[in-house]
Every structure is written in C-alpha cells, then in structure tokens.
Amino acid sequence: MRNKLYIYLGSIIFITLIFSISLPSFLAKFDELYLLGTHELKKMDLNLDSEAKDIPLVQRIYDIYDGIYSTDESEIASVVQVIATSDEQKIILEQLKELMEKKVLVNNDDYITDKVESVYVKMIYSAIVQNLKEYVINFRDQQISLWWDIESNKIISIKIIGNGQIRVNDNKEDILRGYSSYLNLDLLGDWVIESDVIQSNKSSLIIKTDILNNKIEQYLSIIPKLAQIQ
C-alpha cells in the first residue's frame, strides 16, 4: 500500500515538474501569435467581399501570412540559399523595373544590371505555404530582399538595406497606388490612403511602407489588416 502511495505521489510530482517547465514556452508562443494577430487571420477571409474573393492573390496573401506566422517554428524550413539561375535573375530584375515604372521604386541609375554583384534565391515554406521564394539581390552599395510569389508572379514584400541607386519613392501616394496597380488589386476600386498605409475594406488588406534609420532601411509589403502589430 505504501509503495503504491509513493508511486502515485512520484507521478504527480513528475507531471507537475514537466508542466511547469513547458508552460512558459507555451505561453510565450501564444503571446507571440496573439500580438501578430495571426489567430484571427483564418476567420477574416469569411468576411471578404465577393469581389475580393474572386481575386486569387487576395486569398493567397492570407494563406502566406497565416502559414508563415501561425505555424510552429519546427515546421517551417528553408533550403540553403543558392545562386539564382540566369533566367531567375532576368525575371526578378524585370519585376524591379516594373516597380520603377509604377513609381513604387526610384532608380538613380538606368543601368542597374551593371551594378548587380549577385542574386541569391531560397524557398520559403511551411506546412501551409508553398511556392514562395525569397530573392536577395546584392548591389555594390545595398541589398534588396524580395518575397516572390510563384503562383501570382508578383513581389509581395520588399526590404532595401543601404543607400544606393534604388530606393522607395518619397511620395507615399505614388508608392501605395503604384503597388496596388502592380498587384492588379486596384481593380477593387476601394483603396483609401490613411496616414502611411493604403487599405481596402473589400479585401481587408493594407499596403504598408516604412522608412527607417535615415532611409538606410526601407520596407514595403501587403498584409492582412489584423497581421499588423498595433
């Protein structure tokens, strides 16, 4: 009887110890997802306007952010970054040129290809997200990272580090309207500029730009409204 009691008490102590060790990491992960708003992303697409639901890129953006940020880190992986093929380099540089034509990006040098030192590419994927690549273009004086959605053939995120020949346009209206046009989401017709973002109620998406550290870091992306950290 006494042995059974010892075994019972020992089991309780062991379970309590394991729970106390794992609880902080669980709560930390929960808090992280809560702050990102990713726990609500799947619910949001139920409220999309029918016009927005007919545009594949809208749902694709939800899937990407829901998959990347709400998936356990152990389930997210990337292959080793490798040199992009000549065809890949051509495609991604053509996309940069289109963003310049749309006045999203400003180019101080017409011959940007002459300044490219290397272009790397890696796949980004999780249990939910596939067909997403990250291109990293190294210029002589700056680096540009781009999220390239293979399904839509569009750049959905841009990060520019360093002062160089390419920068985000200083005119935010040009940036925001040009980028919605580049993504073919201007068809929704309800984009409204508020402060430093442009948003569409039909799609519940926002286009956001940030310029930090005296223009050393520049960001541009399209995300679900609730994915924006308040």
Side-chain angles (χ1 to χ4, degrees):
M1 183 68 180
R2 182 175 296 178
N3 289 336
K4 290 183 178 181
L5 179 61
Y6 288 153
I7 294 173
Y8 176 74
L9 291 175
S11 299
I12 292 177
I13 293 171
F14 178 76
I15 293 171
T16 302
L17 179 63
I18 294 298
F19 182 77
S20 64
I21 293 173
S22 60
L23 182 59
S25 60
F26 172 80
L27 291 176
K29 183 64 177 177
F30 179 82
D31 288 343
E32 177 187 351
L33 297 181
Y34 184 84
L35 288 172
L36 288 169
T38 52
H39 57 297
E40 298 188 42
L41 294 187
K42 289 183 179 179
K43 298 177 182 177
M44 190 191 302
D45 64 353
L46 300 176
N47 299 320
L48 295 180
D49 184 272
S50 59
E51 187 178 352
K53 288 183 178 180
D54 290 337
I55 302 176
L57 180 58
V58 174
Q59 185 60 55
R60 174 66 174 161
I61 291 169
Y62 281 101
D63 291 342
I64 288 173
Y65 281 90
D66 196 25
I68 293 296
Y69 292 117
S70 65
T71 304
D72 186 86
E73 291 182 3
S74 63
E75 298 178 11
I76 299 176
S78 296
V79 296
V80 175
Q81 187 168 273
V82 297
I83 291 287
T85 65
S86 58
D87 287 342
E88 287 177 316
Q89 292 187 35
K90 181 179 179 181
I91 290 172
I92 208 65
L93 289 174
E94 285 176 348
Q95 294 300 309
L96 278 182
K97 183 178 179 181
E98 184 175 350
L99 288 169
M100 294 169 193
E101 292 172 350
K102 295 285 187 181
K103 298 182 179 180
V104 176
L105 300 178
V106 175
N107 175 25
N108 295 327
D109 187 339
D110 292 334
Y111 303 98
I112 61 170
T113 54
D114 295 338
K115 302 292 180 66
V116 175
E117 294 188 336
S118 61
V119 181
Y120 290 90
V121 60
K122 66 179 178 180
M123 293 295 296
I124 303 172
Y125 65 92
S126 70
I128 299 174
V129 179
Q130 296 181 6
N131 295 327
L132 184 65
K133 291 183 177 181
E134 181 182 9
Y135 285 91
V136 179
I137 306 173
N138 292 308
F139 292 90
R140 297 175 189 174
D141 44 15
Q142 64 186 166
Q143 183 182 83
I144 301 180
S145 299
L146 309 165
W147 274 19
W148 171 253
D149 176 35
I150 300 172
E151 293 187 11
S152 64
N153 290 326
K154 295 294 182 181
I155 293 170
I156 61 170
S157 178
I158 302 169
K159 178 175 72 174
I160 301 176
I161 303 296
N163 286 320
Q165 66 273 11
I166 298 176
R167 60 181 174 82
V168 175
N169 197 330
D170 291 330
N171 188 315
K172 289 190 176 181
E173 184 170 353
D174 283 345
I175 297 171
L176 302 174
R177 295 212 180 278
Y179 195 44
S180 63
S181 173
Y182 164 79
L183 296 170
N184 297 321
L185 294 179
D186 55 334
L187 299 174
L188 293 172
D190 73 326
W191 292 94
V192 177
I193 293 180
E194 294 184 6
S195 185
D196 63 342
V197 305
I198 183 171
Q199 58 182 320
S200 162
N201 290 326
K202 290 181 179 180
S203 63
S204 290
L205 294 174
I206 66 171
I207 295 172
K208 189 173 187 299
T209 177
D210 288 303
I211 301 176
L212 309 173
N213 298 328
N214 196 26
K215 299 185 180 180
I216 296 298
E217 299 179 37
Q218 302 178 50
Y219 301 89
L220 177 68
S221 60
I222 180 164
I223 61 175
K225 284 184 182 179
L226 290 184
Q228 182 183 20
I229 299 176
Q230 300 298 325

